[in-house]
C-alpha cells in the first residue's frame, strides 16, 4: 500500500485562498460578464447593478490573485480574464451540481411514481 504524503500547510493555504476568491457570488458574476470580452468598470457596475466601490473591490481581489488583468485607456480601466482555468473549474462544478440535481429529481419521480413533470 502506497502512503500519501501530507500536503504542506503553505499549499493548503494557497488552495484555500484561491477557492475563497471563487466562492464569492459577485466575483462569479463578474467573471461570467468577462467570459467573452473585456469590460470597463462602468460596464460591470451597470451589468451587476451594484456600486462602483463594490465592483472595484472584487476586481482588485481577482487582479491580485492573477485571475484578471487590467489595462487603462484614458481614464477608464478595462479588465479581462487572464486565468481561463477559473472557467474550467466553474464548468466542472456546474456539471457536478447539475448531475446531483438530476439524480435528486429522479428520486422524487421514483417516489411519486411519475416519470414526467405535469
Amino acid at each position: 500500500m502506497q502512503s500519501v504524503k501530507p500536503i504542506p500547510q503553505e499549499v493548503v493555504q494557497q488552495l484555500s485562498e484561491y477557492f475563497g476568491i471563487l466562492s464569492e457570488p459577485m466575483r462569479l458574476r463578474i467573471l461570467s460578464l468577462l467570459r467573452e470580452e473585456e469590460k470597463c468598470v462602468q460596464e460591470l457596475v451597470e451589468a451587476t447593478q451594484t456600486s462602483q466601490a463594490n465592483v472595484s473591490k472584487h476586481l482588485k481581489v481577482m487582479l491580485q490573485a492573477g485571475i484578471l488583468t487590467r489595462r487603462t485607456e484614458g481614464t477608464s480601466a478595462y479588465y479581462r480574464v487572464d486565468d481561463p482555468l477559473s472557467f474550467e473549474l466553474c464548468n466542472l462544478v456546474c456539471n457536478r451540481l447539475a448531475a446531483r440535481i438530476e439524480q435528486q429529481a429522479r428520486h422524487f419521480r421514483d417516489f411519486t411514481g411519475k416519470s414526467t413533470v405535469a
Side-chain angles (χ1 to χ4, degrees), residues 38-40 43 69-73 76-80:
E38 71 177 12
K39 293 197 181 338
C40 71
E43 290 173 304
T69 59
R70 171 189 156 152
R71 72 175 180 86
T72 55
E73 187 175 298
S76 297
Y78 289 84
Y79 290 84
R80 68 178 170 83

Side-chain angles (χ1 to χ4, degrees), residues 7 18 26 32-33 36 41 45 50 60 63-65 71 73 78 82 85 88-89 98 101 103 107 114 116:
I7 300 173
Y18 188 86
M26 181 57 70
S32 177
L33 292 166
E36 299 298 324
V41 175
V45 167
T50 190
K60 180 181 176 184
L63 183 67
Q64 289 175 336
R71 72 175 180 86
E73 187 175 298
Y78 289 84
D82 193 43
L85 178 62
E88 291 178 43
L89 287 171
I101 291 168
Q103 183 180 19
H107 291 310
K114 295 182 181 180
T116 60

